[in-house]
Amino acid sequence: MPVRHFLTDDQLDAILGGLADATALPVDLADQVAAAARETSGMGYAMAIAAAAQGDKAFLGALPSDRASRFRALRPRLRMMLAALGGGITYQCDHADEIRPLYLFCDPPSLVCTQPRCITEAGRNARKVGFRWDNQCDGCGRPAQTVFPSLATLGPLTISGHVCKLCADEMGKTAVRVSAS
Ligand SMILES: [Zn+2]
Ligand SMILES: [Zn+2]
């Protein structure tokens, strides 16, 4: 079984601190980034509703503007993404290396574009291949008997995985919770 690596908060903060701040971008570029983010979060929201309708819970929402809160919201998503990328990603559709919003399955690590048919196909394949890390949280790597489906957005990337109670709570605190009523 491949080993996934989950970065510490300090390691994640070092990465986040090095990323370009959207407020430091030229205005026209910042507008484009904002428009792309709106479009992507809209798609994420639609998918979250769909996931919720199937009994899953989803965590997403706008990021807070102050640095400390933003880092806190970004850490679990970034940790999840980097662990999945380091776990041996397979590309599940031909669109995944084009410039478009992407959907990341944490386990088995796979990447597709956000077209519903590509996500459906990748989900079917994931069930066929089976989980690599049963009873391990996709968010922090802790062993977990019970895991909760999680859907989080990170810019143009939507991350789908199963997380432990601690990670679910942490993501829930920093995002809007969507669940089927
Ligand atoms: Zn595709
Ligand atoms: Zn966890």
Side-chain angles (χ1 to χ4, degrees):
M1 183 168 79
V3 176
R4 290 188 294 189
H5 296 284
F6 295 86
L7 300 186
T8 64
D9 284 359
D10 285 348
Q11 288 171 323
L12 292 166
D13 286 356
I15 294 170
L16 289 167
L19 295 177
D21 192 331
T23 58
L25 295 173
V27 171
D28 57 337
L29 188 55
D31 285 349
Q32 284 179 36
V33 171
R38 272 197 300 278
E39 195 173 317
T40 313
S41 63
M43 293 167 77
Y45 191 77
M47 284 189 290
I49 297 292
Q54 291 168 29
D56 290 354
K57 290 189 180 60
F59 301 96
L60 49 105
L63 289 173
S65 54
D66 78 281
R67 186 183 161 104
S69 310
R70 194 164 70 248
F71 275 27
R72 186 178 173 193
L74 285 171
R75 270 186 220 119
R77 305 165 195 220
L78 186 62
R79 182 185 283 123
M80 218 171 162
M81 180 193 82
L82 293 174
L85 292 180
I89 284 276
T90 55
Y91 285 70
Q92 292 290 335
C93 78
D94 292 340
H95 318 119
D97 55 4
E98 296 172 5
I99 302 174
R100 49 171 88 196
L102 296 174
Y103 192 98
L104 174 70
F105 286 88
C106 288
D107 184 17
S110 42
L111 202 58
V112 285
C113 78
T114 49
Q115 290 187 85
R117 63 190 168 89
C118 293
I119 294 173
T120 304
E121 183 57 34
R124 197 175 296 143
N125 184 65
R127 281 192 295 280
K128 201 163 59 189
V129 173
F131 293 124
R132 281 197 204 161
W133 299 284
D134 250 338
N135 301 121
Q136 186 191 39
C137 173
D138 292 331
C140 69
R142 287 187 192 93
Q145 282 308 309
T146 307
V147 287
F148 304 87
S150 159
L151 197 65
T153 55
L154 188 66
L157 182 71
T158 299
I159 307 164
S160 167
H162 291 81
V163 298
C164 70
K165 179 84 170 57
L166 284 171
C167 287
D169 287 349
E170 181 60 22
M171 286 211 234
K173 273 179 214 148
T174 54
V176 177
R177 182 171 177 144
V178 181
S179 59
S181 53

